[in-house]
Amino acid sequence: MSLVVKGGYVFDPLNNIHGEKMDVFIQDGKVVEEASGEARVIDATGMLVMPGGVDIHSHIAGSKINIGRLMRPEDHRRAPIPRGPHTRSGVGYSCPSTFVTGYKYAEMGYTTVMEAAMPPLGARHVHEEFHDTPIIDTGAFTLMGNNYFTLKYVKEGDMEMLKAFMAWLLGATKGFAVKIVNAGGVENWKWGRNVSGLDGVVEGWDVTPREIITMLAQANEELGLPHTIHLHCNNLGMPGNYRITIETMGALSKVRPVPGRRRTVHVVHCQFNALAGDNWMNVRSGAQEVAEYVNRHKHVSLDLGQVIFGDTTTMTGDGPWQFALHNMTGNKWVNSDVEMEAGAGVVPYEFKPGNPANAVQWSIGLELALEVEDPWRVYMTTDHPNGGPFTSYPQVIAWLASRQARTETMRTLHKACLKRSGLADNYREYSWSELAIVTRAGTARALGLDSKGHLGVGADGDVSVYDIHPYKWRPSQHRELVKAFRYAAYTIKGGEIVAKNGQVVATPQGSVHWVDTRVPEDVEARLLEDLEEEFKKYYTVKLSNYPVQDYYLGKNVAHKPKEVWR
Ligand SMILES: [Zn+2]
């Protein structure tokens, strides 16, 4: 049960290790000082060794991705995956089936992936699909920004009940973090409308997005949850929206963070929310303005939502935005409203190199990554599959590490990319340590997953070994980099070799991470009384049938916040 990764160049930024030649020992699934007895040896001489990848934002399980799978047979036909000696068959390019999702992440050296939007009523579906997604550890973020009870307690200004509800809902859905999507806008979508601005009115509630977001953020910190609020800002996809993004970040600067962290918000797939200009004809990059704000304020982190050219499937809890996208493209569209709590839409989309707006969008993601100075607060994602499928991560890594890779892509794009963004003027190239931060160390830290994203003693035995020599590689060799990160030489999950040279060789079940937080008994009693009454009046399910049963979870890790109820 023990294993040693021998002689590789280790990049473990959380432990201040930056490319030292050293051995990593794993015993009984955990990193140890030195393995006792006979250990299996993996020769990593001349290779790059990092903790297993940790994806902070992806759509891999539950209703939205499944709608994508259902509505896009063409996506299945494009990528049939035959069964292998250790794997099942599957299909899908932008909406891969569950098993394939686990395999493809493992092949790239990723071992933990967070599903970024779980509607509470659809929680069972998410957990069922987690169960069918092999190898990787998972967790899901529970949608709360347009929930009936959130709106009710925000309207009443009842912080105690809001906190009690959030804690209860995380437990009831076995969720890991608080997700907010277009606060108030999805509620207004019930009347075919959206909200205008942070101070727009939510129909029938007399509350504003600003009030919803700041109160949820404050409650999140008071509950001491491992992750900050995970925020999809208002006005997503609308030119000029970089202003509301900065305004939203500003509103959250006054929230008091839980002791031990400075952050109060993670802004998701920021590329879609860093657009300048007035319309899609003259849209330009607002990345510099957003990055400038982030550089000056420590309470914000963000992820990219990097665009990948080609066909993909967009899916988000932002129902009104998906309707707008359907109108813009004429592509097929599915709307999915979830009674009392959330909504979603799914629309196929093709990012085209010759399209000026798409070329600008491509540059915005990379500009954000390069202009934000602190890699601990900007993470690599494609908002799979919205910007593009997660299988394109190696290409994004190459763009970050090689200016030549960016230039070569830029030459194939509409010239708007050069004229309406500052990307061409940016010479920064990510170091190996920075790459390790934006793909595992930083994301694990932001999520509050203490045993992930590093290789210190006691960490989970999740390791990726890439066949690339960190001191001989040059940015001109960006194609080699893509290849190395696409097919990890070894992916080790919990001390077991799960992939070798990009081939899955074992398919253990991963763990589901969730937050188990308690509230004082008297407060919980008051909450349950209120829930019971409202459920009877408005829900189509009984309260007693609502929480996800424990047996849905299987293997899991319950995170108990230290700072409960202050
Ligand atoms: Zn997303």
Side-chain angles (χ1 to χ4, degrees):
M1 288 304 282
S2 52
L3 192 144
V4 51
V5 182
K6 217 173 170 59
Y9 297 103
V10 176
F11 286 85
D12 178 11
L14 275 168
N15 291 306
N16 223 0
I17 294 167
H18 303 282
E20 286 165 40
K21 198 169 175 177
M22 56 191 285
D23 304 338
V24 179
F25 297 93
I26 304 170
Q27 194 159 341
D28 301 325
K30 296 280 182 187
V31 177
V32 291
E33 193 73 57
E34 197 144 348
S36 57
E38 195 87 342
R40 178 164 179 188
V41 177
I42 291 176
D43 183 8
T45 308
M47 295 189 193
L48 187 64
V49 177
M50 289 182 178
V54 178
D55 194 342
I56 196 169
H57 188 109
S58 184
H59 298 279
I60 57 166
S63 60
K64 282 191 311 304
I65 185 74
N66 216 44
I67 290 169
R69 289 173 188 137
L70 286 167
M71 80 189 278
R72 300 213 64 196
E74 67 275 20
D75 191 74
H76 303 206
R77 287 186 187 155
R78 187 175 167 186
I81 291 117
R83 64 173 289 189
H86 304 277
T87 55
R88 293 178 175 226
S89 62
V91 285
Y93 169 72
S94 67
C95 303
S97 44
T98 48
F99 292 100
V100 171
T101 299
Y103 306 149
K104 292 277 176 196
Y105 265 113
E107 288 168 8
M108 300 191 304
Y110 270 77
T111 48
T112 305
V113 181
M114 290 288 153
E115 158 58 51
M118 171 166 70
L121 256 182
R124 279 188 187 82
H125 190 181
V126 171
H127 289 288
E128 281 168 357
E129 294 202 345
F130 278 167
H131 196 264
D132 277 354
T133 306
I135 305 172
I136 52 175
D137 276 13
T138 52
F141 304 160
T142 308
L143 286 161
M144 299 197 191
N146 293 276
N147 187 293
Y148 175 88
F149 294 99
T150 299
L151 296 171
K152 179 179 170 171
Y153 300 138
V154 169
K155 182 182 164 70
E156 291 168 358
D158 195 336
M159 190 54 131
E160 192 172 66
M161 288 295 264
L162 182 66
K163 275 157 59 179
F165 174 66
M166 291 162 74
W168 176 83
L169 193 63
L170 283 174
T173 58
K174 303 288 187 273
F176 183 77
V178 175
K179 177 73 184 295
I180 305 169
V181 174
N182 186 7
V186 180
E187 174 66 16
N188 279 4
W189 176 235
K190 289 176 181 170
W191 285 269
R193 290 195 279 273
N194 202 339
V195 278
S196 61
L198 265 186
D199 299 305
V201 172
V202 183
E203 302 280 336
W205 286 100
D206 197 27
V207 298
T208 65
R210 184 190 301 274
E211 289 165 347
I212 299 168
I213 294 166
T214 52
M215 207 162 152
L216 281 170
Q218 187 63 50
N220 190 98
E221 299 310 300
E222 289 186 20
L223 284 168
L225 300 182
H227 186 33
T228 60
I229 56 164
H230 199 82
L231 178 65
H232 164 134
C233 290
N234 300 92
N235 290 9
L236 178 128
M238 296 177 197
N241 64 8
Y242 80 90
R243 282 189 214 93
I244 196 171
T245 306
I246 292 172
E247 200 186 346
T248 307
M249 291 171 176
L252 293 162
S253 66
K254 291 168 200 83
V255 172
R256 198 159 57 97
V258 67
R261 83 167 159 230
R262 296 180 77 168
R263 277 172 244 170
T264 55
V265 62
H266 175 75
V267 172
V268 299
H269 38 70
C270 197
Q271 171 271 126
F272 291 107
N273 254 90
L275 305 168
D278 316 303
N279 56 57
W280 278 111
M281 302 305 288
N282 69 12
V283 68
R284 57 182 181 80
S285 167
Q288 298 215 355
E289 288 85 344
V290 172
E292 200 174 294
Y293 183 91
V294 175
N295 288 336
R296 282 189 288 114
H297 298 84
K298 302 274 183 242
H299 67 285
V300 187
S301 63
L302 51 89
D303 68 86
L304 304 183
Q306 176 60 36
V307 159
I308 304 298
F309 291 104
D311 179 77
T312 195
T313 312
T314 68
M315 53 189 65
T316 161
D318 196 340
W321 161 246
Q322 289 299 75
F323 178 60
L325 191 63
H326 158 68
N327 280 333
M328 264 159 48
T329 59
N331 292 344
K332 57 187 169 181
W333 164 55
V334 169
N335 180 70
S336 166
D337 288 329
V338 184
E339 60 176 76
M340 308 292 285
E341 44 195 44
V346 183
V347 180
Y349 189 81
E350 186 183 353
F351 289 100
K352 296 182 182 131
N355 175 315
N358 292 164
V360 170
Q361 284 184 282
W362 174 81
S363 69
I364 293 175
L366 294 174
E367 236 189 318
L368 286 168
L370 299 166
E371 294 286 341
V372 171
E373 288 155 10
D374 179 6
W376 291 99
R377 293 194 293 125
V378 59
Y379 315 121
M380 196 278 292
T381 67
T382 59
D383 186 19
H384 164 81
N386 285 294
F390 68 82
T391 45
S392 302
Y393 284 175
Q395 179 60 62
V396 185
I397 289 169
W399 284 327
L400 295 176
S402 163
R403 183 168 186 270
Q404 188 178 327
R406 299 198 290 272
T407 307
E408 284 176 22
T409 303
M410 258 187 275
R411 284 203 192 106
T412 68
L413 305 183
H414 191 281
K415 59 183 185 306
C417 170
L418 290 174
K419 291 182 173 167
R420 303 192 213 154
S421 89
L423 185 62
D425 301 325
N426 197 310
Y427 286 75
R428 182 172 167 194
E429 289 174 332
Y430 268 43
S431 67
W432 298 112
S433 289
E434 287 175 322
L435 289 172
I437 293 166
V438 303
T439 55
R440 50 261 286 158
T443 45
R445 195 167 84 169
L447 289 163
L449 292 172
D450 296 338
S451 61
K452 301 283 183 193
H454 72 101
L455 297 172
V457 170
D460 289 351
D462 301 351
V463 186
S464 14
V465 181
Y466 298 109
D467 188 5
I468 196 155
H469 194 298
Y471 299 113
K472 289 185 181 161
W473 181 82
R474 294 287 169 267
S476 61
Q477 299 163 307
H478 54 87
R479 281 182 192 82
E480 282 82 348
L481 185 70
V482 173
K483 207 174 136 215
F485 275 82
R486 176 155 295 150
Y487 307 109
Y490 293 94
T491 304
I492 297 156
K493 172 70 176 42
E496 182 178 3
I497 300 171
V498 291
K500 199 175 166 183
N501 298 321
Q503 294 287 314
V504 171
V505 294
T507 58
Q509 187 67 40
S511 295
V512 176
H513 292 255
W514 62 289
V515 168
D516 183 12
T517 180
R518 295 271 160 249
V519 302
E521 265 172 41
D522 56 322
V523 182
E524 192 174 58
R526 191 155 77 88
L527 173 76
L528 288 175
E529 201 178 310
D530 196 33
L531 294 181
E532 186 72 55
E533 198 182 316
E534 301 276 7
F535 263 72
K536 256 188 213 148
K537 273 195 277 187
Y538 301 124
Y539 261 100
T540 57
V541 293
K542 279 175 84 172
L543 181 61
S544 56
N545 288 328
Y546 187 80
V548 175
Q549 296 90 331
D550 287 348
Y551 68 80
Y552 267 79
L553 274 180
K555 210 172 149 191
N556 70 91
V557 179
H559 294 255
K560 293 182 197 287
K562 293 174 213 107
E563 187 73 18
V564 180
W565 212 258
R566 68 180 157 100

